[in-house]
Amino acid sequence: MKTRQKDRSNRPPEDPWNEVGPLLWMGGHVRAGAEPVVVRREFDLVLSLYEREGHGPPPDIEHHFAEMPDGPLTAAQLADVERFAGLAAEAVRAGRRTLVRCHAGLNRSGLVVAQTLVELGLGVPAAIERVRQRRSPWALSNELFVQYLETGLPTARLLAGLDA
């Protein structure tokens, strides 16, 4: 699979997070030209793919963290994407406000949110387009992440495992 990224600006969006689907939000720890983003009690579930101390959420809010690079993913990291997408889809179906976030809220969170939308019934092309429309045109600019979605995460995970 290719790892080259498209020639797009990875400037963080101005909004701290954007609603991509009902009860499903995508965001980052930073935003363009503003203070760092801190999550307080806006969400019932926060799924983080990047973590920075002091950015919340408070201890009584359900929070899951899986460190992930904005580059080629291992089979274990792809399994984390699948797990997070499952958690997010389950939370949305249960009526819980859910935030998926990474550093800038563009690629890693975009991968999980797009997969969540697929699990909620959207096709892959429509899920990618929705992420870009609702969060940023630069979301999912990592072509490898788009390829993971197009290939299907279970297949991508198996293929990544062959490199181990």
Side-chain angles (χ1 to χ4, degrees):
M1 293 186 174
K2 296 179 189 175
T3 59
R4 183 181 60 83
Q5 292 189 6
K6 289 182 182 179
D7 183 21
R8 295 184 186 205
S9 169
N10 279 340
R11 181 175 184 246
E14 292 181 14
D15 295 324
W17 44 70
N18 298 91
E19 191 170 18
V20 178
L23 301 173
L24 180 61
W25 298 74
M26 179 175 157
H29 284 70
V30 298
R31 59 186 176 147
E35 293 295 315
V37 177
V38 177
V39 175
R40 291 182 173 52
R41 301 189 178 285
E42 300 89 349
F43 303 98
D44 303 307
L45 172 64
V46 178
L47 302 170
S48 298
L49 303 158
Y50 170 88
E51 196 168 46
R52 186 180 280 178
E53 191 172 327
H55 286 241
D60 60 329
I61 301 296
E62 185 178 353
H63 181 221
H64 298 266
F65 169 69
E67 190 167 345
M68 191 168 299
D70 189 4
L73 302 179
T74 65
Q77 290 164 332
L78 286 164
D80 283 338
V81 172
E82 290 179 281
R83 181 173 60 87
F84 272 29
L87 287 169
E90 181 181 312
V92 166
R93 286 186 190 109
R96 299 175 70 208
R97 291 174 49 97
T98 302
L99 171 66
V100 180
R101 66 183 182 165
C102 58
H103 183 260
L106 295 172
N107 284 305
R108 292 167 280 188
S109 59
L111 176 60
V112 171
V113 167
Q115 182 62 32
T116 302
L117 292 170
V118 169
E119 291 194 21
L120 292 171
L122 222 52
V124 170
I128 293 167
E129 185 60 28
R130 167 106 39 107
V131 164
R132 289 176 175 159
Q133 284 178 342
R134 302 269 175 98
R135 178 63 177 158
S136 167
W138 298 287
L140 287 172
S141 61
N142 182 328
E143 288 182 20
L144 181 57
F145 286 7
V146 171
Q147 289 175 9
Y148 289 150
L149 291 164
E150 291 170 342
T151 300
L153 291 182
T155 301
R157 184 170 35 85
L158 289 172
L159 292 171
L162 295 175
D163 291 338

